[in-house]
Amino acid sequence: MAYSEQVIDHYENPRNVGKMDEADAHVGTGMVGAPACGDVMRLQIKVSDEGVIEDAKFKTYGCGSAIASSSLVTEWMKGMTLDQAGEIRNANISEELALPPVKIHCSVLAEDAIKAAIDNYKSKQ
Amino acid sequence: MKLPLYLDYSATTPVDPRVAKLMCDCLTQEGNFGNPASRSHVYGWQAEEAVENARRQVADLINADPREIVWTSGATESDNLAIKGVAHFYHKKGKHIITSKIEHKAVLDTCRQLEREGFEVTYLEPSTEGLISPEQVAEAMREDTILVSLMHVNNEIGVVTDIAAIGEITRAQKVLFHVDAAQSAGKIAIDVESAKVDLMSFSAHKVYGPKGIGALFVRRKPRVRLEAQMHGGGHERGMRSGTLATHQIVGMGAAFAIAQAEMESDNARIDALRQRLWDGVKDMEEVYMNGHATQRVSGNANISFNFVEGESLLMSLRELAVSSGSACTSASLEPSYVLRALGMNDELAHSSIRFSIGRFTTEADIDQAIEQSRNAVIKLRDLSPLWDMYKDGVDLDSVQWAAH
């Protein structure tokens, strides 16, 4: 399968790979997917008292498109408010990465991960 | 563009230059281009002689009589002809067929078709090492069983079926025994007399011959009958009509003759290369060789790198031409049905790579494969939340995953 340049770039140089302390009250963690399905994403956000995402980290087990989708959203989310981040849609991701139809589910998973991280953060407040 | 390093010899092999030369001599006006079925002139006679010489070369590799070799377009057609041909000829005797869950699709899809036609098929489960035992075959046998079809060597994991022991059982019960030998011919010694095989499928392109040609061994004593699947001229004693492709057939014959002459030296070298590959990666944590440790062919190394997803691994290994145990082409990724049948969990099946080594692989190639595999696995594990969890001592089976 041919990958787009954007996917290869994020795959070769993934942004914001890492892990934050899940117990920290400022950190929201979203883990979505399942190993049996071939992709698991863990997305974490660090939110300031003003509700702005100061930092974002990810780790992903999955194909190149899944890795690129999660890498891309960590870049986008930094500096966004929670509401802004919650408005990121899978279509934005798949468009930016030029994902083929069979890989759209990777962008859906990334959108789910954002929502899960935000929900997790909110549940801690 | 620099081509990736070829380590996918189980998928296909390049034609040996010695074979290609002989094939080219059967194409042009100056060459042996005649129709082997032409009886009235020397063009036909010469072509027929070349075809019969190749038939003998194929028969010699497996200790058969040349009259027991039927040319086909490849192992898929041979499997179809053997299984459908037997089923359609012997259906009045019984409608039960025994095969296994890890056969090639050419056998499985053919069996599915026969099920639609009213036949019953038993699919044997392999052991966790990928083997089907003779006892399993004996137990599955019924009054109305007409055929047992099993592969000699599995294409994904390279394990070898004990066809001699199974042939004893089928012969004693007067049940026909078909063996798909696409992955074993030229790699391990085959003797259709001592192993009581009735039908055997072959392909040329797995043995450094051309694509588009194969053969089916059809035993004469005791005689095996088939209903033809292709009609039109009654070539190949009525079992497979169609003008014989002299150049392809000559290529297959030559490839099989070379395989016979060089099997021992090729195997010793390839076995050492496979060991070198395994030695180069086995010290990494959570790395497994799939399939039985010793009952296997030398060229195949199917290795699982746990906590790394197969497609991203292939993306990192783009300088290697290898194949993966999974294909992420649909919304839900499908792990290999062969690895799954061994009882392997989906994650591990997704994490497997088949390296297959052949006649033209060198030590330097293997060293390059080792280095690239190690780098890719380290990189992807750094990215993998599953690896993190494993390192933190989390039991991944205890996690409630949101399947999608």
Side-chain angles (χ1 to χ4, degrees):
Chain A
M1 177 182 303
Y3 295 93
S4 68
E5 275 176 37
Q6 299 91 306
V7 168
I8 292 172
D9 177 39
H10 277 279
Y11 176 79
E12 297 285 340
N13 313 292
R15 282 48 142 190
N16 307 307
V17 177
K19 189 179 174 188
M20 297 185 216
D21 179 10
E22 275 184 54
D24 185 336
H26 288 97
V27 172
T29 302
M31 176 117 94
V32 295
C37 306
D39 32 31
V40 175
M41 280 181 197
R42 187 182 64 208
L43 185 66
Q44 294 183 299
I45 48 174
K46 188 168 193 183
V47 186
S48 71
D49 294 332
E50 291 75 40
V52 174
I53 298 171
E54 289 180 322
D55 199 6
K57 295 274 184 215
F58 86 97
K59 284 209 177 186
T60 292
Y61 162 89
C63 65
S65 302
I67 291 170
S69 296
S70 34
S71 169
L72 174 69
V73 296
T74 57
E75 270 199 322
W76 277 354
M77 290 171 84
K78 279 203 231 180
M80 281 186 175
T81 64
L82 288 178
D83 287 345
Q84 287 170 329
E87 273 167 21
I88 296 174
R89 291 288 167 268
N90 78 288
N92 309 130
I93 302 165
S94 56
E95 194 182 330
E96 174 69 22
L97 295 175
L99 297 182
V102 296
K103 295 296 185 185
I104 296 298
H105 69 283
C106 298
S107 63
V108 173
L109 203 62
E111 182 187 326
D112 291 348
I114 297 171
K115 294 206 169 78
I118 293 173
D119 288 349
N120 176 258
Y121 169 77
K122 286 184 173 166
S123 71
K124 287 176 169 180
Q125 304 311 305
Chain B
M1 181 186 141
K2 185 170 167 276
L3 283 172
L5 170 59
Y6 193 76
L7 288 173
D8 207 8
Y9 281 84
S10 296
T12 193
T13 58
V15 174
D16 190 297
R18 294 168 283 182
V19 171
K21 167 77 180 69
L22 293 170
M23 290 178 67
C24 290
D25 294 342
C26 300
L27 291 167
T28 56
Q29 195 175 2
E30 297 72 37
N32 190 356
F33 73 89
N35 186 332
S38 296
R39 302 281 179 214
S40 50
H41 49 67
V42 67
Y43 296 95
W45 304 334
Q46 277 178 356
E48 189 192 21
E49 194 188 332
V51 164
E52 294 315 312
N53 179 49
R55 203 188 295 278
R56 195 165 45 250
Q57 289 171 315
V58 171
D60 282 349
L61 181 68
I62 60 168
N63 191 25
D65 183 304
R67 290 170 297 179
E68 295 176 311
I69 302 299
V70 174
W71 301 114
T72 66
S73 62
T76 294
E77 188 192 332
S78 300
D79 289 342
N80 270 267
L81 176 56
I83 297 170
K84 288 178 186 162
V86 163
H88 293 155
F89 193 91
Y90 293 96
H91 65 97
K92 286 188 181 132
K93 209 180 140 211
K95 291 195 133 188
H96 181 236
I97 294 167
I98 298 170
T99 185
S100 88
K101 288 191 168 170
I102 58 169
E103 295 305 304
H104 191 272
K105 290 286 182 188
V107 168
L108 291 176
D109 288 349
T110 302
C111 287
R112 291 276 181 235
Q113 173 57 27
L114 289 174
E115 284 181 296
R116 283 190 285 273
E117 294 173 20
F119 288 84
E120 262 189 80
V121 181
T122 299
Y123 299 91
L124 300 175
E125 299 244 7
S127 69
T128 54
E129 293 177 317
L131 297 176
I132 301 291
S133 71
E135 294 73 34
Q136 279 176 287
V137 176
E139 276 167 30
M141 214 71 107
R142 305 192 323 205
E143 278 290 299
D144 60 342
T145 305
I146 51 171
L147 176 70
V148 172
S149 176
L150 293 170
M151 66 205 324
H152 195 189
V153 166
N154 184 273
N155 49 312
E156 288 194 33
I157 53 176
V159 297
V160 181
T161 308
D162 185 354
I163 57 171
I166 293 168
E168 291 294 337
I169 296 165
T170 49
R171 183 62 57 82
Q173 307 259 350
K174 293 196 167 61
V175 169
L176 294 176
F177 185 27
H178 166 245
V179 173
D180 181 336
Q183 294 285 349
S184 64
K187 301 191 181 83
I188 47 181
I190 297 175
D191 182 336
V192 290
E193 281 313 310
S194 63
K196 296 187 172 75
V197 172
D198 298 300
L199 296 139
M200 195 176 252
S201 302
F202 301 100
S203 160
H205 76 95
K206 309 283 192 192
V207 200
Y208 311 94
K211 292 164 191 61
I213 184 76
L216 180 66
F217 159 78
V218 184
R219 180 174 290 286
R220 286 166 64 90
K221 283 181 196 164
R223 188 178 179 198
V224 176
R225 310 288 299 273
L226 293 178
E227 197 175 287
Q229 304 296 307
M230 186 77 76
H231 303 90
H235 305 72
E236 300 296 281
R237 296 182 306 293
M239 283 187 267
R240 204 277 194 178
S241 291
T243 297
L244 294 175
T246 312
H247 64 301
Q248 302 283 82
I249 290 170
V250 163
M252 180 163 178
F256 273 47
I258 292 172
Q260 187 169 20
E262 301 180 0
M263 192 186 309
E264 226 172 290
S265 56
D266 264 1
N267 274 348
R269 210 178 56 78
I270 292 169
D271 210 37
L273 291 176
R274 192 180 74 93
Q275 193 57 47
R276 187 182 184 89
L277 174 63
W278 179 232
D279 286 343
V281 298
K282 69 180 181 193
D283 63 298
M284 299 180 87
E285 262 181 283
E286 290 288 311
V287 172
Y288 306 96
M289 173 84 82
N290 299 313
H292 194 277
T294 53
Q295 201 172 322
R296 60 183 308 135
V297 285
S298 47
N300 171 298
N302 188 309
I303 301 176
S304 289
F305 301 93
N306 207 0
F307 310 116
V308 172
E309 190 272 335
E311 192 183 322
S312 56
L313 187 53
L314 280 187
M315 202 170 158
S316 279
L317 297 179
R318 50 184 190 284
E319 285 167 43
L320 305 180
V322 292
S323 65
S324 159
S326 69
C328 182
T329 51
S330 60
S332 81
L333 176 121
E334 275 300 309
S336 136
Y337 67 94
V338 172
L339 297 179
R340 239 173 157 167
L342 309 191
M344 189 183 288
N345 69 30
D346 287 355
E347 298 96 284
L348 208 51
H350 284 313
S351 307
S352 70
I353 297 282
R354 181 186 71 182
F355 300 88
S356 44
I357 301 163
R359 186 175 287 165
F360 307 110
T361 311
T362 64
E363 280 193 0
D365 293 342
I366 295 296
D367 291 345
Q368 191 183 331
I370 292 168
E371 190 194 331
Q372 294 191 6
S373 303
R374 293 187 77 97
N375 290 344
V377 169
I378 291 166
K379 172 193 161 157
L380 291 168
R381 281 182 175 172
D382 276 345
L383 272 176
S384 168
L386 302 181
W387 178 247
D388 268 359
M389 294 165 81
Y390 164 73
K391 282 301 201 179
D392 291 343
V394 176
D395 175 11
L396 293 178
D397 291 333
S398 71
V399 176
Q400 284 277 335
W401 299 104
H404 55 284

PDB file of all heavy atoms in Angstrom, chain B residues 161-174:
ATOM      1  N   THR B 161       4.321 -32.031   7.273  1.00  0.00           N
ATOM      2  CA  THR B 161       3.348 -33.060   7.650  1.00  0.00           C
ATOM      3  C   THR B 161       3.948 -34.445   7.402  1.00  0.00           C
ATOM      4  O   THR B 161       4.630 -34.655   6.392  1.00  0.00           O
ATOM      5  CB  THR B 161       2.063 -32.911   6.803  1.00  0.00           C
ATOM      6  OG1 THR B 161       1.616 -31.568   6.883  1.00  0.00           O
ATOM      7  CG2 THR B 161       0.967 -33.848   7.271  1.00  0.00           C
ATOM      8  N   ASP B 162       3.677 -35.374   8.316  1.00  0.00           N
ATOM      9  CA  ASP B 162       4.185 -36.744   8.178  1.00  0.00           C
ATOM     10  C   ASP B 162       3.300 -37.500   7.178  1.00  0.00           C
ATOM     11  O   ASP B 162       2.408 -38.258   7.553  1.00  0.00           O
ATOM     12  CB  ASP B 162       4.159 -37.421   9.557  1.00  0.00           C
ATOM     13  CG  ASP B 162       4.791 -38.806   9.523  1.00  0.00           C
ATOM     14  OD1 ASP B 162       5.143 -39.276   8.411  1.00  0.00           O
ATOM     15  OD2 ASP B 162       4.917 -39.409  10.594  1.00  0.00           O
ATOM     16  N   ILE B 163       3.560 -37.290   5.886  1.00  0.00           N
ATOM     17  CA  ILE B 163       2.665 -37.861   4.868  1.00  0.00           C
ATOM     18  C   ILE B 163       2.836 -39.372   4.756  1.00  0.00           C
ATOM     19  O   ILE B 163       1.901 -40.071   4.370  1.00  0.00           O
ATOM     20  CB  ILE B 163       2.832 -37.181   3.487  1.00  0.00           C
ATOM     21  CG1 ILE B 163       4.273 -37.260   2.995  1.00  0.00           C
ATOM     22  CG2 ILE B 163       2.357 -35.740   3.544  1.00  0.00           C
ATOM     23  CD1 ILE B 163       4.420 -36.802   1.537  1.00  0.00           C
ATOM     24  N   ALA B 164       4.008 -39.903   5.103  1.00  0.00           N
ATOM     25  CA  ALA B 164       4.207 -41.358   5.008  1.00  0.00           C
ATOM     26  C   ALA B 164       3.287 -42.069   5.992  1.00  0.00           C
ATOM     27  O   ALA B 164       2.634 -43.064   5.650  1.00  0.00           O
ATOM     28  CB  ALA B 164       5.670 -41.709   5.265  1.00  0.00           C
ATOM     29  N   ALA B 165       3.209 -41.558   7.220  1.00  0.00           N
ATOM     30  CA  ALA B 165       2.361 -42.193   8.232  1.00  0.00           C
ATOM     31  C   ALA B 165       0.883 -42.044   7.878  1.00  0.00           C
ATOM     32  O   ALA B 165       0.088 -42.977   8.055  1.00  0.00           O
ATOM     33  CB  ALA B 165       2.636 -41.566   9.597  1.00  0.00           C
ATOM     34  N   ILE B 166       0.514 -40.896   7.344  1.00  0.00           N
ATOM     35  CA  ILE B 166      -0.895 -40.685   6.981  1.00  0.00           C
ATOM     36  C   ILE B 166      -1.266 -41.544   5.769  1.00  0.00           C
ATOM     37  O   ILE B 166      -2.358 -42.102   5.697  1.00  0.00           O
ATOM     38  CB  ILE B 166      -1.152 -39.181   6.742  1.00  0.00           C
ATOM     39  CG1 ILE B 166      -0.997 -38.421   8.065  1.00  0.00           C
ATOM     40  CG2 ILE B 166      -2.544 -38.945   6.150  1.00  0.00           C
ATOM     41  CD1 ILE B 166      -0.932 -36.922   7.941  1.00  0.00           C
ATOM     42  N   GLY B 167      -0.315 -41.687   4.841  1.00  0.00           N
ATOM     43  CA  GLY B 167      -0.552 -42.523   3.661  1.00  0.00           C
ATOM     44  C   GLY B 167      -0.825 -43.984   4.020  1.00  0.00           C
ATOM     45  O   GLY B 167      -1.614 -44.666   3.347  1.00  0.00           O
ATOM     46  N   GLU B 168      -0.195 -44.469   5.077  1.00  0.00           N
ATOM     47  CA  GLU B 168      -0.464 -45.845   5.538  1.00  0.00           C
ATOM     48  C   GLU B 168      -1.933 -45.988   5.946  1.00  0.00           C
ATOM     49  O   GLU B 168      -2.589 -46.985   5.641  1.00  0.00           O
ATOM     50  CB  GLU B 168       0.419 -46.195   6.753  1.00  0.00           C
ATOM     51  CG  GLU B 168       1.910 -46.336   6.447  1.00  0.00           C
ATOM     52  CD  GLU B 168       2.219 -47.521   5.536  1.00  0.00           C
ATOM     53  OE1 GLU B 168       1.403 -48.467   5.487  1.00  0.00           O
ATOM     54  OE2 GLU B 168       3.272 -47.475   4.857  1.00  0.00           O
ATOM     55  N   ILE B 169      -2.428 -44.983   6.631  1.00  0.00           N
ATOM     56  CA  ILE B 169      -3.809 -45.035   7.134  1.00  0.00           C
ATOM     57  C   ILE B 169      -4.806 -44.956   5.976  1.00  0.00           C
ATOM     58  O   ILE B 169      -5.750 -45.746   5.885  1.00  0.00           O
ATOM     59  CB  ILE B 169      -4.050 -43.862   8.114  1.00  0.00           C
ATOM     60  CG1 ILE B 169      -3.161 -44.018   9.349  1.00  0.00           C
ATOM     61  CG2 ILE B 169      -5.514 -43.763   8.503  1.00  0.00           C
ATOM     62  CD1 ILE B 169      -3.058 -42.772  10.198  1.00  0.00           C
ATOM     63  N   THR B 170      -4.579 -44.015   5.079  1.00  0.00           N
ATOM     64  CA  THR B 170      -5.545 -43.843   3.986  1.00  0.00           C
ATOM     65  C   THR B 170      -5.530 -45.073   3.072  1.00  0.00           C
ATOM     66  O   THR B 170      -6.580 -45.527   2.628  1.00  0.00           O
ATOM     67  CB  THR B 170      -5.228 -42.575   3.161  1.00  0.00           C
ATOM     68  OG1 THR B 170      -3.844 -42.577   2.814  1.00  0.00           O
ATOM     69  CG2 THR B 170      -5.546 -41.325   3.960  1.00  0.00           C
ATOM     70  N   ARG B 171      -4.345 -45.614   2.793  1.00  0.00           N
ATOM     71  CA  ARG B 171      -4.273 -46.774   1.900  1.00  0.00           C
ATOM     72  C   ARG B 171      -4.989 -47.969   2.518  1.00  0.00           C
ATOM     73  O   ARG B 171      -5.719 -48.700   1.832  1.00  0.00           O
ATOM     74  CB  ARG B 171      -2.798 -47.099   1.597  1.00  0.00           C
ATOM     75  CG  ARG B 171      -2.577 -48.237   0.624  1.00  0.00           C
ATOM     76  CD  ARG B 171      -3.154 -47.977  -0.766  1.00  0.00           C
ATOM     77  NE  ARG B 171      -2.656 -46.767  -1.400  1.00  0.00           N
ATOM     78  CZ  ARG B 171      -1.480 -46.695  -2.050  1.00  0.00           C
ATOM     79  NH1 ARG B 171      -0.721 -47.741  -2.158  1.00  0.00           N
ATOM     80  NH2 ARG B 171      -1.099 -45.549  -2.586  1.00  0.00           N
ATOM     81  N   ALA B 172      -4.782 -48.154   3.834  1.00  0.00           N
ATOM     82  CA  ALA B 172      -5.415 -49.296   4.510  1.00  0.00           C
ATOM     83  C   ALA B 172      -6.936 -49.186   4.438  1.00  0.00           C
ATOM     84  O   ALA B 172      -7.635 -50.198   4.358  1.00  0.00           O
ATOM     85  CB  ALA B 172      -4.949 -49.357   5.967  1.00  0.00           C
ATOM     86  N   GLN B 173      -7.441 -47.959   4.448  1.00  0.00           N
ATOM     87  CA  GLN B 173      -8.900 -47.761   4.420  1.00  0.00           C
ATOM     88  C   GLN B 173      -9.423 -47.565   2.999  1.00  0.00           C
ATOM     89  O   GLN B 173     -10.596 -47.242   2.822  1.00  0.00           O
ATOM     90  CB  GLN B 173      -9.256 -46.496   5.232  1.00  0.00           C
ATOM     91  CG  GLN B 173      -8.701 -46.487   6.630  1.00  0.00           C
ATOM     92  CD  GLN B 173      -9.757 -46.866   7.645  1.00  0.00           C
ATOM     93  OE1 GLN B 173     -10.930 -46.957   7.334  1.00  0.00           O
ATOM     94  NE2 GLN B 173      -9.331 -47.126   8.878  1.00  0.00           N
ATOM     95  N   LYS B 174      -8.520 -47.669   2.021  1.00  0.00           N
ATOM     96  CA  LYS B 174      -8.895 -47.448   0.611  1.00  0.00           C
ATOM     97  C   LYS B 174      -9.507 -46.059   0.384  1.00  0.00           C
ATOM     98  O   LYS B 174     -10.469 -45.877  -0.377  1.00  0.00           O
ATOM     99  CB  LYS B 174      -9.851 -48.540   0.124  1.00  0.00           C
ATOM    100  CG  LYS B 174      -9.197 -49.918   0.052  1.00  0.00           C
ATOM    101  CD  LYS B 174     -10.048 -50.862  -0.801  1.00  0.00           C
ATOM    102  CE  LYS B 174      -9.319 -52.128  -1.161  1.00  0.00           C
ATOM    103  NZ  LYS B 174      -8.912 -52.936   0.022  1.00  0.00           N
TER     104      LYS B 174
END
